[in-house]
């Protein structure tokens, strides 16, 4: 490939003109419309010469030059500034930023190929040292002023984002609360119906009706746990979680959770490896929240592991810490997604795939489970992370969720 020229210019007409002229003269021309885009193109294509307009919409041509000159690949690349201003000050500032020379706009199209050749052959525009020093100081001052303005803008935007984030939390919380009231009524009526002897007789006599009622009860339970999850997560996220710390037998917590999932484990033919003796009998933690954590980790292991897989639960006490993990032989997790899955409402795959079941393969979930686990473990002064070699539903590399937390919950982190 011939000599490559990168032209960074936001005006389409100039871009076209220069591109046509230089291509005609035998150069290979690549273009970019913005400063940051130009830097990216320069890094990926490593052109032999860069023509850069001074006034660009994002960062100026001078700043593009400063960034590129820091990269040793561009230490000697001719960078030529195009400036519409005939002010000498503009030229000096460009030279202070490290350009090899400048051309004034409108460009003299006929002279352009020769001018490009001049810089490619090592030509440079001169500026005397004293003027250069003054220009460098002014350029540095300009940059700092610009930086200050950007930081102030970002602070304003950040404050606004935080306000919106808080509004969203409040909205979620209010919605969950509002749903809870009519929902408690639905649950109550359902219970009254189930407890009614005449209705029970009906159910015994009619298998179809029994199935309908079972389906409804199941959906009510599921809805209940979703509302609970949302309320707990919004408490955790707004730092209003009160740990109710007490003696907690973590092994027993696991036993209880596993019992709840026994039907699902059997139906899906998943084997569980668990040795209660490894698990601490005495720790100071919030029993209920630890149960919620184990329940989420285990239900995820069930959900994301195909039938006939294995789930391994291990624990070890070291000094004043407990380490435990839930490992599965499931579909695994993309390495890049391994931190974002702990964020709220983050589900890695198409939510359309989700069914309403908490245990069907790849079913259920609105992406709150792991955010809850993280909030709970961190509230106890611990940390949670995942290890998996990647997402591969065919090979099933598996995932392991690991937790490290103090045996005595550190409430001062609240
Ligand atoms: P969800 O309700 O979607 O299960 P979670 O917060 O529990 O929400 O999990 C977030 C995402 O992390 C899931 O959608 C899934 O993509 C991924 N994930 C969680 N646990 C596992 C696991 N054991 N194996 C594979 N992927 C998992």
């Amino acid at each position: 490939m011939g000599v490559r020229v990168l032209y960074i210019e936001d005006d389409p007409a100039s871009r076209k003109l220069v591109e046509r002229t230089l291509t005609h003269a035998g150069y290979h021309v690549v273009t970019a419309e913005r400063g940051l885009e130009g830097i990216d193109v320069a890094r990926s294509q490593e052109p032999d010469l860069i023509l850069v307009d001074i006034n660009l919409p994002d960062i100026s041509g001078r700043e593009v030059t400063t960034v590129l000159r820091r990269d040793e690949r561009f230490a000697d690349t001719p960078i030529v500034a195009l400036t519409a201003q005939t002010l000498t000050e503009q030229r000096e500032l460009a030279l202070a930023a490290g350009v090899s020379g400048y051309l004034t706009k409108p460009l003299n199209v006929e002279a352009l190929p020769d001018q490009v050749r001049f810089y490619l052959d090592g030509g440079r525009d001169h500026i005397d040292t004293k003027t250069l020093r003054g220009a460098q100081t002014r350029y540095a001052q300009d940059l700092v002023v610009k930086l200050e303005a950007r930081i102030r803008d970002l602070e304003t935007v950040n404050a606004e984002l935080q306000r919106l984030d808080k509004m969203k939390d409040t909205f979620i919380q209010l919605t969950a609360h509002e749903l809870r009231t009519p929902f408690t009524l639905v649950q109550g009526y359902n219970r009254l119906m189930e407890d009614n002897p005449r209705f029970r007789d009906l159910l015994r006599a009619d298998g179809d009706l029994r199935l309908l009622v079972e389906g409804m009860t199941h959906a009510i339970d599921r809805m209940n746990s979703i509302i609970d999850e949302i309320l707990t997560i919004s408490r955790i996220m707004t730092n209003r979680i009160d740990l109710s710390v007490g003696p907690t037998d973590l092994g027993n917590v696991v036993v209880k959770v596993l019992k709840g999932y026994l039907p699902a484990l059997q139906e899906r033919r998943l084997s569980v490896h668990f040795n209660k003796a490894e698990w601490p009998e005495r720790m100071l933690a919030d029993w209920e929240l630890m149960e919620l954590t184990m329940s989420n980790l285990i239900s995820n292991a069930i959900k994301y592991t195909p039938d006939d897989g294995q789930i391994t639960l291990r624990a070890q006490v070291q000094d004043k810490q407990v380490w435990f993990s839930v490992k599965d032989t499931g579909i695994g997790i993309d390495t890049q997604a391994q931190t974002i899955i702990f964020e709220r409402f983050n589900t890695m795959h198409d939510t359309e795939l989700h069914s309403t079941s908490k245990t069907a393969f790849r079913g259920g979930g609105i992406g709150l489970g792991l955010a809850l686990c993280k909030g709970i473990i961190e509230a106890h002064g611990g940390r949670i992370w995942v290890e998996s070699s990647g997402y591969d539903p065919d090979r099933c590399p598996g995932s392991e969720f690991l937790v490290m937390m103090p045996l005595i919950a550190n409430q001062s982190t609240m």
Side-chain angles (χ1 to χ4, degrees):
M1 207 194 298
V3 177
R4 276 164 313 167
V5 174
L6 164 63
Y7 183 33
I8 311 172
E9 166 68 77
D10 59 320
D11 173 41
S14 304
R15 238 180 8 247
K16 218 172 212 128
L17 183 66
V18 167
E19 192 173 5
R20 202 179 312 137
T21 310
L22 291 182
T23 308
H24 188 71
Y27 295 103
H28 177 76
V29 183
V30 280
T31 59
E33 289 176 40
R34 295 171 154 261
L36 293 174
E37 182 198 350
I39 292 173
D40 291 341
V41 176
R43 284 180 179 149
S44 65
Q45 313 245 339
E46 297 195 22
D48 302 293
L49 178 137
I50 298 165
L51 287 173
V52 60
D53 185 27
I54 285 296
N55 295 314
L56 292 167
D58 49 357
I59 62 173
S60 77
R62 285 186 291 272
E63 287 147 10
V64 170
T65 309
T66 305
V67 173
L68 290 178
R69 284 291 186 232
R70 280 202 65 221
D71 184 335
E72 60 182 36
R73 287 176 299 169
F74 302 107
D76 300 319
T77 308
I79 303 180
V80 181
L82 303 184
T83 139
Q85 298 94 338
T86 38
L87 287 173
T88 50
E89 159 140 304
Q90 290 298 328
R91 298 177 197 161
E92 285 161 7
L93 288 178
L95 287 164
V99 301
S100 320
Y102 54 85
L103 298 172
T104 41
K105 279 178 162 182
L107 288 169
N108 177 350
V109 177
E110 275 167 27
L112 187 61
D114 286 341
Q115 287 167 328
V116 164
R117 174 54 48 206
F118 167 75
Y119 293 112
L120 276 169
D121 289 343
R124 284 188 79 92
D125 291 341
H126 288 290
I127 175 170
D128 71 71
T129 338
K130 209 165 134 224
T131 319
L132 180 66
R133 213 171 296 136
Q136 276 168 338
T137 310
R138 268 200 316 286
Y139 177 55
Q141 286 164 343
D142 282 358
L143 276 184
V144 174
V145 168
K146 215 167 155 183
L147 185 67
E148 185 195 347
R150 288 276 159 104
I151 291 175
R152 287 187 194 283
D153 283 351
L154 282 178
E155 277 177 348
T156 315
V157 172
N158 197 23
E160 178 60 8
L161 285 177
Q162 282 183 9
R163 193 182 68 82
L164 290 174
D165 194 45
K166 207 161 159 200
M167 262 172 72
K168 183 203 63 200
D169 283 343
T170 314
F171 173 75
I172 291 172
Q173 203 183 355
L174 284 178
T175 312
H177 269 298
E178 288 300 310
L179 282 175
R180 160 122 303 164
T181 318
F183 188 69
T184 312
L185 287 175
V186 173
Q187 213 173 6
Y189 287 131
N190 190 49
R191 208 157 287 151
L192 285 177
M193 254 166 41
E194 281 180 336
D195 290 346
N196 181 308
R198 271 178 300 148
F199 189 68
R200 276 208 231 143
D201 288 344
L202 259 180
L203 287 189
R204 256 192 295 274
D206 188 335
D208 287 346
L209 191 60
R210 203 164 51 237
L211 277 181
L212 292 179
V213 172
E214 272 169 16
M216 189 169 75
T217 308
H218 178 74
I220 289 175
D221 286 347
R222 177 90 186 96
M223 179 95 163
N224 206 20
S225 75
I226 291 179
I227 293 179
D228 270 353
E229 279 183 8
I230 295 178
L231 286 174
T232 314
I233 198 88
S234 71
R235 266 176 35 227
I236 291 174
M237 293 308 155
T238 45
N239 285 332
R240 282 186 296 106
I241 183 170
D242 294 316
L243 288 188
S244 171
V245 169
T248 301
D249 179 332
L250 201 57
N252 265 344
V253 169
V254 178
V255 170
K256 183 170 172 217
V257 172
L258 282 176
K259 212 163 164 189
Y261 286 120
L262 206 58
L265 289 164
Q266 282 169 346
E267 189 184 324
R268 306 270 320 283
R269 296 187 306 276
L270 298 167
S271 62
V272 175
H273 300 260
F274 165 62
N275 175 6
K276 186 164 177 283
E278 289 173 0
W279 292 69
E281 285 176 7
R282 283 157 177 265
M283 56 188 286
L284 281 182
D286 186 313
W287 167 289
E288 266 182 40
L289 292 181
M290 287 312 294
E291 184 181 331
L292 194 57
T293 305
M294 292 313 306
S295 169
N296 273 303
L297 293 179
I298 292 172
S299 78
N300 276 350
I302 299 175
K303 263 185 338 196
Y304 299 106
T305 305
D307 293 0
D308 300 304
Q310 263 178 36
I311 297 172
T312 311
L313 305 161
R314 286 188 301 154
Q316 203 176 351
V317 176
Q318 291 169 340
D319 300 327
K320 293 180 175 154
Q321 302 261 323
V322 54
W323 166 95
F324 62 85
S325 88
V326 178
K327 189 175 177 180
D328 60 48
T329 55
I331 56 177
I333 300 165
D334 194 76
T335 41
Q336 299 207 328
Q338 290 178 9
T339 41
I340 56 171
I341 53 169
F342 290 97
E343 287 169 15
R344 285 175 292 169
F345 304 111
N346 235 309
T347 60
M348 289 329 295
H349 306 289
D350 194 350
T351 37
E352 308 258 309
L353 271 179
H354 284 198
S355 72
T356 48
S357 160
K358 233 187 143 126
T359 47
F361 182 45
R362 304 180 77 169
I366 50 171
L368 281 181
L370 289 177
L372 259 177
C373 295
K374 183 169 184 279
I376 293 170
I377 297 299
E378 287 179 357
H380 281 83
R383 64 189 194 94
I384 179 168
W385 70 102
V386 64
E387 288 175 7
S388 169
S389 62
Y391 168 73
D392 187 341
D394 297 323
R395 218 170 36 86
C396 280
S399 316
E400 181 168 18
F401 284 83
L402 303 107
V403 172
M404 187 77 143
M405 64 185 281
L407 278 174
I408 296 177
N410 174 7
Q411 273 184 300
S412 62
T413 54
M414 291 286 38

